[in-house]
Amino acid sequence: GGAGSGSDGPSLMRMLDAVETPDYLRLSAKDLKKPIHAAITELDDEIATAHENIADQAIEHIHANEVILTHGRDATVEIFLRAAAKKRQFEVIVAETSPSHDGHATAAALAAAGIATTLIADCAVFAMMARVNKVIVGAHAVMANGGIYATASCHLLALAAHHHSVPLVVCAGLYRLGGGFPPGAPS
């Protein structure tokens, strides 16, 4: 959760850890104002500090001389990788993510930050996965069953990683957690 709000209202982490939740349906409109304001402030703090909070954990997930695979363009993933590069040497392979080719911008940004970077075509992901220690992706949303909403090519990375038993790490702020399930998924 975000730091600095100092409110007595529920934080995102406390909401996730809560054993019981207040019955907001029984509160009057006047009594709802404070918890709603506190929740909005907490969400605002979480959004403002999400990249920083995730980047602080980079050193725990990326080790020296690892080969990381990512794809497309995701600000959270780029910040995460740049934070790890401050203390560790590693290589990043970036899939270009056709047809948008967003991976080109990611590869250029990482190379400019001094990270050893290789750009590959999407069709080479499966072949390269045997060299990879970890796949790191961003997500638009993380669903209740652990599934994610992400760019379409993320599914290709996940299937190749699963086949080669390579861990897949999703970089996403708490505010991206959803209570729903993807369409067609068992609940």
Side-chain angles (χ1 to χ4, degrees), residues 1-3 5-7 9-14 37-47:
S5 69
S7 72
S11 75
L12 292 174
M13 275 311 295
R14 284 184 290 213
H37 185 267
I40 291 170
T41 301
E42 180 66 24
L43 179 61
D44 188 44
D45 288 346
E46 171 60 28
I47 291 170

Side-chain angles (χ1 to χ4, degrees), residues 110-132:
L110 295 176
I115 300 171
T117 306
T118 304
L119 181 68
I120 62 169
D122 295 334
C123 61
V125 165
F126 196 86
M128 294 299 290
M129 194 61 71
R131 294 188 51 215
V132 171

